[in-house]
Amino acid sequence: MKVIIIGGRGTPTVIADQMTDAHDRFGMDIEVLGFALDDLSGGNSISGYPILCGIRELHEKYGKYDDVRYVYNLYRSDVIQERTNLLYSLNFPLQRFCNFIHPSVMLARSAQMGYGNILLANVVINSNVILGNFNTFNSGTLVGHDTVIGNNNFFAAQVCVGSNLKIGDMNFVGLNSSLKNFITLGNLNLVGMASNVTKSLENNLTVVGNPAKPFIKSSKS
């Protein structure tokens, strides 16, 4: 399988390197062709991978090749809804987006997932987990059994998601955070780094701390 990553610096580069690692160390049949990116201010390549084309021209240029698949990873915590809207505005066929599962991942045989999910090194997805589309799980993240996760969520490294959770769409969970068993997260929530979420969240909240509480910006006099 040949892969083009929609994105650039940051997590997209990490994904490219982990795909290369999967090929080089584990013999996985995968090759990173390069990136699709509109921003060429840093040159025509990123970390040795070429920028092949702009985002919107990707499918027109490469859609004719049956063995080419796409990865979407332009997520950023402050613009996750905008970047998700961009993804769906492309109208690329869902089937062209691959799931990447690094060979070191433990993926339970009873787990289910849609398209475009990214499971990086040493992720653990336990029994009866259901994943939607376009979720990113960075290295060392654990998802407990019987948890249901929607679409376009981003889990940074070493996140611990408990069992029997229900998580909606476009949530961003920061490094080393924990989500308690049997709670729910709605949509568009931001969980700050190293936070411990013990209660359910509705929508559009930023929470930080242990236990996690809503973050309120201090006003200047």
Side-chain angles (χ1 to χ4, degrees):
M1 178 173 62
K2 297 178 174 63
V3 177
I4 299 173
I5 300 171
I6 303 171
R9 297 159 190 85
T11 302
T13 307
V14 173
I15 294 169
D17 283 341
Q18 291 215 20
M19 287 179 169
T20 300
D21 175 69
H23 175 272
D24 292 349
R25 285 204 298 143
F26 297 93
M28 187 175 183
D29 181 17
I30 193 166
E31 176 187 359
V32 179
L33 296 180
F35 295 110
L37 189 65
D38 296 332
D39 180 8
L40 299 178
S41 60
N44 295 319
S45 66
I46 301 172
S47 298
Y49 302 99
I51 298 175
L52 301 170
C53 60
I55 294 171
R56 294 192 179 277
E57 62 183 314
L58 170 61
H59 192 60
E60 180 180 354
K61 189 172 182 179
Y62 290 93
K64 58 188 174 183
Y65 301 107
D66 292 337
D67 60 342
V68 174
R69 293 293 180 268
Y70 313 144
V71 162
Y72 186 86
N73 212 276
L74 274 173
Y75 298 124
R76 205 175 72 193
S77 60
D78 57 333
V79 289
I80 192 166
Q81 184 168 25
E82 176 186 332
R83 298 288 176 83
T84 298
N85 291 343
L86 171 60
L87 165 62
Y88 292 112
S89 75
L90 298 172
N91 290 316
F92 294 168
L94 192 60
Q95 294 80 4
R96 295 306 295 256
F97 291 91
C98 67
N99 291 315
F100 172 63
I101 303 167
H102 189 273
S104 64
V105 168
M106 200 302 288
L107 177 64
R109 64 180 182 177
S110 56
Q112 303 174 47
M113 70 173 71
Y115 293 94
N117 294 289
I118 304 297
L119 281 60
L120 296 181
N122 300 310
V123 163
V124 174
I125 305 292
N126 280 313
S127 58
N128 301 308
V129 167
I130 299 175
L131 307 178
N133 303 319
F134 302 110
N135 297 293
T136 300
F137 300 87
N138 279 275
S139 296
T141 290
L142 178 145
V143 180
H145 63 81
D146 297 288
T147 286
V148 178
I149 298 176
N151 306 307
N152 304 96
N153 296 286
F154 186 97
F155 299 85
Q158 307 298 329
V159 170
C160 181
V161 180
S163 303
N164 292 280
L165 274 81
K166 295 187 184 301
I167 298 175
D169 303 333
M170 294 179 284
N171 296 286
F172 192 102
V173 184
L175 290 162
N176 290 301
S177 297
S178 297
L179 309 178
K180 182 179 176 290
N181 297 344
F182 292 100
I183 64 172
T184 63
L185 270 68
N187 305 319
L188 288 164
N189 294 297
L190 170 59
V191 177
M193 180 177 66
S195 296
N196 185 17
V197 181
T198 61
K199 296 181 179 179
S200 295
L201 304 179
E202 293 183 356
N203 302 314
N204 293 287
L205 292 172
T206 296
V207 296
V208 296
N210 182 15
K213 296 180 180 179
F215 175 74
I216 301 175
K217 292 183 180 179
S218 60
S219 59
K220 294 182 179 181
S221 57

